[in-house]
């Protein structure tokens, strides 16, 4: 079995320790970070966002070491300029209107094209790359893995507040991001050439200038041989990031194993998978999803337990059983959204929610 290398990208909030608002000092963090972290730290479109990314990791243990190291480093860099670092899909009360855009020709172009949709896109996600052998395998993976995206998303839901309001969603981040074109659950492609022809058509007709402007929840990376999961909210604890990345890797390994045994995974319409994604955004772990095989509603937690069973036979080979089992702990303690809401119910104070996010971001470091 291939190694299915891993790369994890996390987008953090830079927060004023006194007001608990987002504060734009990212440029100093990134400039100072380039000295120690080189290309592993970079700016995002809004100045109050800082992104860090691991190197290519051979297994989940390397990934854990890198994720913890990067989180410690970015917390230290922020502390050096009087800021704190928070991990959540949205900030509970800061307004996007108050947050400056990073000066960069690439971001200027996106804002010019997408206007208010881009300016208001003050959201924070977690992306995971899993290495694959070639692009044909990649398209096969994309087609099969789409079904599991809502399950993974439900685990990560961590953005119940937007501009000081309780939204009623466990992930409002995804509702904000859906204003962008070329987002959401991808369609089905017959081959790598079919996928590449689709991208070339968009480039030829001036829709995009390169494949990175396709912002689906799952994509075959346009330049690297990786499957990139993009659906998840930024999660609070590093343990949560590692657990979800481990199960993403395990799913790739399991689908690969089935293919080698000439067992195809059944494919479902994007429109059906979108129904489950909406349920995950609205209700997180506490809702139901559609089991398309049974054609009935099933508790989301039950489907996640089925998912754990589905990947069980590849975990020991990947060496990730311990990391994947943390999913059970996540279901026990609730998603980040559940925990943020619990703090708000108890205190009625969104600054206390930010304090909780800041504390959880440092959990286990």
């Amino acid at each position: 079995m291939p190694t299915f290398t891993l790369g994890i990208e996390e987008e953090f909030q830079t927060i004023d320790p006194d007001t608990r608002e987002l504060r734009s000092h990212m440029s100093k963090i990134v400039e100072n970070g380039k000295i120690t972290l080189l290309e592993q730290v970079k700016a995002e479109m809004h100045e109050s966002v800082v992104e860090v990314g691991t190197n290519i990791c051979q297994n989940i243990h390397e990934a854990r070491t890198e994720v913890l190291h990067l989180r410690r480093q970015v917390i230290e860099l922020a502390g050096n300029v009087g800021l704190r670092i928070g991990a959540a899909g949205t900030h509970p009360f800061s307004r996007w209107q108050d947050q400056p855009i990073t000066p960069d020709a690439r971001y200027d172009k996106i804002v010019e094209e997408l206007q208010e949709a881009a300016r208001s896109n003050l959201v924070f996600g977690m992306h995971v790359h899993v290495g694959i052998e070639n692009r044909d395998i990649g398209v096969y993976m994309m087609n099969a893995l789409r079904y599991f995206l809502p399950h993974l998303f439900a685990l990560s839901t961590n953005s119940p507040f937007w501009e000081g309001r309780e939204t009623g969603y466990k992930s409002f981040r995804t509702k904000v991001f859906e204003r962008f074109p070329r987002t959401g659950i991808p369609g089905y492609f017959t081959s790598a050439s079919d996928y590449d022809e689709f991208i070339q058509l968009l480039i030829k007709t001036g829709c995009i200038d390169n494949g990175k402007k396709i912002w689906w929840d799952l994509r075959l990376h346009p330049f690297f041989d990786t499957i990139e999961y993009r659906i998840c909210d930024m999660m609070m604890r590093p343990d949560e990031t590692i657990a979800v990345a481990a199960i993403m890797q395990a799913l790739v390994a399991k689908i690969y194993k089935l293919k080698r045994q000439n067992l195809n995974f059944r494919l479902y319409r994007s429109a059906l998978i979108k129904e489950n994604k909406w349920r995950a955004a609205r209700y997180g772990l506490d809702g139901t999803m559609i089991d398309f095989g049974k054609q009935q509603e099933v508790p989301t937690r039950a489907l996640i337990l089925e998912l754990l069973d589905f990947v069980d036979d590849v975990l020991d080979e990947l060496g990730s059983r311990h990391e994947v089992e943390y999913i059970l702990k996540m279901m026990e303690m609730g998603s980040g959204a559940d925990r943020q809401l619990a703090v708000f119910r108890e205190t009625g104070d969104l600054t206390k929610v930010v304090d909780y996010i800041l504390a959880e971001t440092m959990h286990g470091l």
Side-chain angles (χ1 to χ4, degrees):
M1 189 162 73
T3 53
F4 301 116
T5 56
L6 284 161
I8 300 172
E9 298 162 351
E10 295 190 293
E11 294 169 347
F12 292 101
Q13 308 180 10
T14 57
I15 293 174
D16 184 302
D18 298 321
T19 65
R20 276 66 147 218
E21 293 269 10
L22 290 174
R23 203 168 96 206
S24 304
H25 250 302
M26 172 282 311
S27 54
K28 284 188 183 175
I29 296 172
V30 171
E31 283 161 23
N32 296 341
K34 294 284 186 199
I35 299 164
T36 52
L37 297 175
L38 306 175
E39 295 306 309
Q40 287 186 271
V41 59
K42 56 184 190 243
E44 275 294 326
M45 187 156 64
H46 288 86
E47 287 195 5
S48 48
V49 186
V50 60
E51 180 186 299
V52 298
T54 68
N55 291 308
I56 297 170
C57 301
Q58 296 304 308
N59 53 53
I60 198 67
H61 310 295
E62 276 186 28
R64 177 190 286 282
T65 301
E66 287 240 356
V67 163
L68 292 174
H69 170 69
L70 288 170
R71 197 173 281 219
R72 286 188 202 105
Q73 290 290 106
V74 81
I75 287 170
E76 184 181 331
L77 289 164
N80 291 342
V81 291
L83 293 174
R84 301 285 301 278
I85 290 293
T90 55
H91 186 278
F93 57 86
S94 281
R95 288 158 37 91
W96 61 264
Q97 294 93 330
D98 303 330
Q99 299 303 317
I101 302 289
T102 302
D104 184 283
R106 182 163 62 105
Y107 299 134
D108 292 345
K109 189 172 180 185
I110 290 174
V111 171
E112 168 55 33
E113 183 182 9
L114 300 182
Q115 295 290 310
E116 201 87 323
R119 285 189 286 267
S120 64
N121 192 52
L122 188 59
V123 294
F124 306 80
M126 186 272 287
H127 302 162
V128 175
H129 294 258
V130 182
I132 47 171
E133 288 182 318
N134 56 60
R135 293 174 67 74
D136 277 305
I137 287 283
V139 169
Y140 181 89
M141 290 288 176
M142 243 177 78
N143 290 336
L145 291 169
R146 296 175 313 144
Y147 170 77
F148 298 103
L149 291 172
H151 306 55
L152 299 166
F153 178 40
L155 284 162
S156 81
T157 49
N158 191 26
S159 50
F161 300 105
W162 180 248
E163 300 198 331
R165 299 186 305 279
E166 188 178 330
T167 64
Y169 282 80
K170 296 297 176 71
S171 172
F172 198 67
R173 166 190 153 270
T174 193
K175 309 321 290 179
V176 175
F177 190 55
E178 281 168 5
R179 300 169 188 172
F180 270 45
R182 301 176 294 279
T183 58
I185 306 291
Y188 170 90
F189 293 92
T190 56
S191 64
S193 58
D194 182 29
Y195 180 75
D196 290 337
E197 282 169 21
F198 171 81
I199 292 175
Q200 287 308 312
L201 176 62
L202 292 183
I203 293 171
K204 182 180 178 183
T205 53
C207 301
I208 59 176
D209 52 12
N210 69 71
K212 289 189 81 172
K213 294 277 178 67
I214 291 173
W215 294 296
W216 292 329
D217 295 331
L218 179 78
R219 70 181 181 187
L220 178 60
H221 196 279
F223 309 128
F224 309 118
D225 283 342
T226 66
I227 281 285
E228 184 184 5
Y229 292 89
R230 302 171 52 83
I231 196 168
C232 288
D233 280 7
M234 182 66 197
M235 288 169 280
M236 283 192 262
R237 295 185 177 188
D239 285 334
E240 293 174 282
T241 293
I242 293 299
V244 171
I247 204 162
M248 288 170 168
Q249 181 196 41
L251 276 167
V252 172
K254 176 68 176 194
I255 300 293
Y256 181 85
K257 184 175 182 178
L258 290 175
K259 182 170 169 52
R260 292 294 297 270
Q261 295 168 345
N262 289 319
L263 296 170
N264 281 332
F265 190 79
R266 186 171 172 191
L267 302 181
Y268 294 98
R269 293 180 187 275
S270 297
L272 286 175
I273 300 167
K274 285 173 186 172
E275 291 293 331
N276 276 347
K277 182 188 174 184
W278 185 87
R279 290 164 182 242
R282 172 69 178 84
Y283 302 106
L285 291 170
D286 294 330
T288 60
M289 287 192 201
I290 308 161
D291 183 319
F292 300 130
K294 295 176 185 170
Q295 297 193 356
Q296 65 186 48
E297 291 181 291
V298 176
T300 296
R301 290 165 183 273
L303 284 178
I304 292 170
L305 290 175
E306 281 186 16
L307 168 56
L308 296 179
D309 286 341
F310 178 66
V311 299
D312 187 76
D313 62 335
V314 299
L315 299 183
D316 292 328
E317 201 166 346
L318 293 168
S320 61
R321 183 170 295 280
H322 174 71
E323 286 72 19
V324 169
E325 282 176 352
Y326 192 79
I327 299 288
L328 298 172
K329 167 83 170 169
M330 290 169 67
M331 289 203 286
E332 181 189 317
M333 67 184 181
S335 72
D338 297 325
R339 283 139 52 207
Q340 285 191 52
L341 287 164
V343 173
F344 186 61
R345 300 268 188 276
E346 190 180 321
T347 65
D349 184 348
L350 287 175
T351 64
K352 294 290 191 291
V353 176
V354 175
D355 289 342
Y356 178 76
I357 291 168
L358 293 171
E360 286 287 274
T361 301
M362 298 175 70
H363 185 273
L365 294 184

